[in-house]
Amino acid sequence: MKNIFSLIAVLFLFSSCGSQNNVVDVKAETTVVSTSISKTGERPKLLVGIVVDQMRYDYLTRFDAKFGEGGFKRMIGEGFNCKNNHFNYVPTYTGPGHASVYTGTTPKYHGIIGNNFYDKENKEMVYCAQDDNVKPVGTEDKAGLMSPNRMQTTTFGDENRLFTQMRGKTIGVSLKDRGAILPAGHTANAAYWFHGKDEGSWITSTFYVNTLPQWVTEFNSSTSAESYLKEWNTLYDISTYTESGSDENNFEGGFKGKEKATFPYDLKVLSKDNRGFDILKATPYGNSLTTDFAMAAIKGENLGADNITDVLAVSFSATDYVGHNFGVNSKEIEDTYIRLDKDLERLFNYLDATVGKGEYTVFLTADHGAVDVPAYLQSVNVPAGYVDNKDRKEKFNTFLIETYGTKDIVENISNHQIFLDRAKVKTLGLNLIDVQNAIAMEQLTYKNVSKVYTANAMSSTSFSTGVEELLQNGFNQKRSGDVILVNDTAFISYGRTGSTHGSGLNYDTHVPLLFFGKGIKHGETFNKTIIPDIAPTMSALLGISFPNGATGQPLGFLID
């Protein structure tokens, strides 16, 4: 009889799970092991969302031998691993990434089309979390002039607040303001970010509170930040770091005041030439400091202390700073992830002790991946390189003057987009679509430009595959440009040292997606999942409304 019921359960599972992209079947090699750790109908006391900035999926497998049992491996061993998880839009930047994880949709709908982007209405570049109508709290610096006002849809944290009549708390924590603010959403109790320089304090804005809570003030008064201004050497013998390149090479940036980008680094000495406490952001200690503060937030805000679900959004930003500085194949990035694994273990152990093992749920993903340093790829004969923006600009200006008699027809070029002065186009008696098409054809002739698309094409044609689909999912009619450029594979507009991101290629789109804790089954899948699936999945787990602009689908096969 027991075997019959088991068979029925398996048949039910295979007949009822997944969306069109996430169907659970034998062919897709999905493994689900039912390991219920919660009673039916009960919600987790605390839902913790973790975004690791610039984490490629292959870091999970590449550094696996160096990880302990309590961090990444605990999530995989006890939870669910979505091995083929991707961003389904371009551009893959930090602001759009964090917004998409928590809103369950893409820049097409939530409106965060870049970290900085051109405001077509006010004719100026704006920052994704900028808000000049608020005041800083915890500092007098303009670093506190931030809020989620530019994000146009709700997060699952917002929906949880609405569902619980504002009794469920939401707190955002990150070294980066956008990494704390966008995930926390519009109704958050607070979002806190780290202001370095000569202050080394966690700050917020009057969008949330008028004064810092006592626990934040006490944390800022402690020596926590200062304690990390110490030597940064590899956690283990550097000779064992065989998963990364040589310590001394030509592909890393390093710190001012140190001739070579090699271990060890005396952070206290180097901080004088590297913006004081800001140096911590580009070391694994930035993640350790974030962990310290996240645990202080759990205690200070009593998160997970009752049966009304709270949400804690934590973004580990140091990984991104290290990657930009040293590159994805560096000893520094390997050590950073080894140490992040220890910080995750520390956080999970703290959750076990305070909220209770089996009483909280965690997901972990990234806001984007990163490209190998093109100069390194060139050295091993992989096609890659750097875009010559000066040459492009000169050729483009010549084309504009020869074709239209003026270069003023272009208002702005940013984020691989060309914005036209539409009033100027009209004054010259030109057809907007014709101008878009002509510029697109011209740009396509330039070196290392792979593809070019117009706003008209993005608005009038429905794409369902390839980079065209990704571009369309990232295209916001009110905010995006008139012409969109796509560079050749692994060709970037960046310095010759360090890694960057932003494309729709696998090195930027393929990122981890791990779930574990209350309500999560144990298993893994190679089925494709996408970033916008995360928020609807968390909403389904909590039994609340999906974020109001969500386009992703709940991953039902991993919910217990």
Side-chain angles (χ1 to χ4, degrees), residues 54 93-94 115 176 178 250-254 282 319-328 368-376 378 384-390 392 416 448 487-488 490-502 507-508:
Q54 202 188 115
Y93 295 140
T94 298
N115 294 333
K176 294 182 180 180
R178 58 187 179 272
N250 298 321
F251 315 120
E252 302 176 350
T319 43
D320 183 67
Y321 289 107
V322 175
H324 277 295
N325 193 356
F326 297 97
V328 304
H368 52 74
V371 65
D372 259 301
V373 180
Y376 166 69
Q378 289 174 332
Y386 299 88
V387 174
D388 189 339
N389 287 317
K390 182 179 180 181
R392 279 191 189 180
H416 305 294
N448 301 131
N487 289 328
D488 285 340
F491 274 79
I492 62 175
S493 178
Y494 201 67
R496 294 187 65 83
T497 59
S499 297
T500 192
H501 48 87
Y507 52 71
D508 281 335

Side-chain angles (χ1 to χ4, degrees), residues 238-464:
I238 196 169
S239 66
T240 67
Y241 282 31
T242 55
E243 297 80 10
S244 49
S246 59
D247 190 29
E248 184 175 349
N249 59 71
N250 298 321
F251 315 120
E252 302 176 350
F255 296 116
K256 293 180 181 178
K258 193 174 192 300
E259 184 179 352
K260 295 181 179 180
T262 56
F263 284 104
Y265 298 93
D266 187 334
L267 301 182
K268 190 170 185 63
V269 172
L270 292 172
S271 67
K272 299 173 184 177
D273 295 322
N274 293 272
R275 295 169 55 87
F277 284 103
D278 278 337
I279 196 172
L280 295 177
K281 297 177 181 179
T283 77
Y285 299 138
N287 290 333
S288 299
L289 180 62
T290 302
T291 305
D292 294 343
F293 190 79
M295 293 191 299
I298 293 169
K299 180 180 179 181
E301 296 290 342
N302 293 313
L303 300 181
D306 55 33
N307 291 323
I308 300 175
T309 303
D310 298 319
V311 174
L312 175 64
V314 182
S315 178
F316 289 105
S317 306
T319 43
D320 183 67
Y321 289 107
V322 175
H324 277 295
N325 193 356
F326 297 97
V328 304
N329 197 46
S330 63
K331 289 282 191 286
E332 287 80 1
I333 205 73
E334 179 169 1
D335 191 67
T336 296
Y337 275 90
I338 291 171
R339 290 176 182 272
L340 174 60
D341 183 62
K342 299 295 184 185
D343 282 323
L344 289 175
E345 181 175 6
R346 189 158 59 94
L347 176 61
F348 298 156
N349 288 340
Y350 186 78
L351 289 168
D352 288 342
T354 56
V355 181
K357 189 173 184 179
E359 294 297 338
Y360 60 90
T361 305
V362 182
F363 72 79
L364 182 147
T365 188
D367 56 348
H368 52 74
V371 65
D372 259 301
V373 180
Y376 166 69
L377 293 177
Q378 289 174 332
S379 74
V380 293
N381 300 318
V382 176
Y386 299 88
V387 174
D388 189 339
N389 287 317
K390 182 179 180 181
D391 180 63
R392 279 191 189 180
K393 184 177 181 179
E394 290 176 354
K395 289 182 178 179
F396 189 40
N397 284 341
T398 299
F399 163 79
L400 292 173
I401 292 172
E402 290 179 351
T403 307
Y404 302 111
T406 177
K407 63 181 181 181
D408 294 339
I409 197 171
V410 172
E411 201 166 72
N412 177 270
I413 301 177
S414 57
N415 293 325
H416 305 294
Q417 298 179 47
I418 299 172
F419 295 79
L420 298 178
D421 185 334
R422 297 192 174 192
K424 187 74 171 179
V425 170
K426 188 174 182 179
T427 299
L428 294 174
L430 301 171
N431 180 276
L432 178 63
I433 295 176
D434 289 343
V435 175
Q436 289 178 353
N437 288 333
I439 289 176
M441 290 301 99
E442 170 67 14
Q443 288 283 333
L444 197 56
T445 67
Y446 296 167
K447 187 177 181 181
N448 301 131
V449 174
S450 173
K451 296 176 177 62
V452 187
Y453 299 92
T454 65
N456 181 57
M458 289 291 110
S459 301
S460 61
T461 306
S462 179
F463 300 105
S464 58

Side-chain angles (χ1 to χ4, degrees), residues 138-143 194-203 220 225 275-278:
T139 182
E140 295 183 359
D141 194 276
K142 63 181 181 180
F194 185 68
H195 179 51
K197 296 183 180 180
D198 60 346
E199 296 184 36
S201 296
W202 292 84
I203 65 172
N220 286 338
R275 295 169 55 87
F277 284 103
D278 278 337

Side-chain angles (χ1 to χ4, degrees), residues 99-111:
S100 297
V101 168
Y102 284 84
T103 64
T105 190
T106 69
K108 180 178 182 178
Y109 297 104
H110 63 59

Side-chain angles (χ1 to χ4, degrees), residues 527-554:
N527 275 8
K528 184 176 183 180
T529 58
I530 55 176
I531 287 295
D533 292 337
I534 298 172
T537 302
M538 293 298 93
S539 294
L541 178 71
L542 298 180
I544 62 176
S545 294
F546 293 2
N548 58 21
T551 53
Q553 298 297 317

